[in-house]
């Protein structure tokens, strides 16, 4: 999964650096080898800061928790719930 965090002037002033740091920590702590992180210049969508691009799909109004959730939901799909067995 390729993630590009906008570090243009507007997004940076709205703490996009925290998003990058959060994702770097997730990558390190959860050993997410498939996560490729990049900074990117202004995406031209400054009004809806901060912007993050996940595999080419632009997401607006990001924050560290939302970005982390998208990455974890994509790379670590939740295990399916197993049906409970009835026991007597
Ligand atoms: S600075 Fe991030 S979209 Fe312009």
């Amino acid at each position: 999964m390729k993630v590009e965090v906008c570090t243009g002037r507007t997004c940076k002033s709205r703490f996009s650096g925290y998003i990058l740091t959060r994702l770097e920590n997730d990558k390190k702590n959860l050993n997410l080898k498939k996560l490729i992180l990049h900074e990117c210049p202004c995406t031209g969508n400054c009004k809806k800061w901060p912007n993050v691009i996940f595999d080419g799909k632009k997401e607006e109004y990001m924050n560290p928790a939302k970005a982390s959730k998208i990455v974890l939901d994509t790379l670590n799909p939740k295990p399916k719930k197993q049906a409970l067995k009835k026991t007597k």
Side-chain angles (χ1 to χ4, degrees):
M1 175 180 210
K2 182 178 175 185
V3 178
E4 299 168 88
V5 179
C6 179
T7 53
R9 186 191 306 173
T10 306
C11 290
K12 200 169 194 170
S13 73
R14 299 300 178 183
F15 311 109
S16 65
Y18 287 122
I19 296 171
L20 199 56
T21 302
R22 168 72 180 255
L23 296 179
E24 286 169 349
N25 287 339
D26 285 350
K27 179 176 178 157
K28 190 172 112 187
N29 296 335
L30 301 173
N31 198 23
L32 301 174
K33 292 176 183 169
K34 292 181 179 177
L35 177 60
I36 302 164
L37 287 172
H38 291 290
E39 294 181 22
C40 71
C42 178
T43 63
N45 196 25
C46 301
K47 287 183 181 175
K48 298 179 179 178
W49 48 258
N51 293 283
V52 180
I53 302 170
F54 299 91
D55 283 336
K57 185 177 177 222
K58 194 185 296 183
E59 295 286 344
E60 305 157 339
Y61 301 118
M62 277 286 114
N63 64 44
K66 278 166 73 174
S68 179
K69 183 174 181 343
I70 290 172
V71 167
L72 296 181
D73 284 350
T74 303
L75 295 180
N76 292 327
K78 293 174 185 164
K80 293 178 183 172
K81 290 182 181 176
Q82 294 180 348
L84 295 174
K85 292 180 181 176
K86 289 185 179 179
T87 56
K88 286 189 174 182

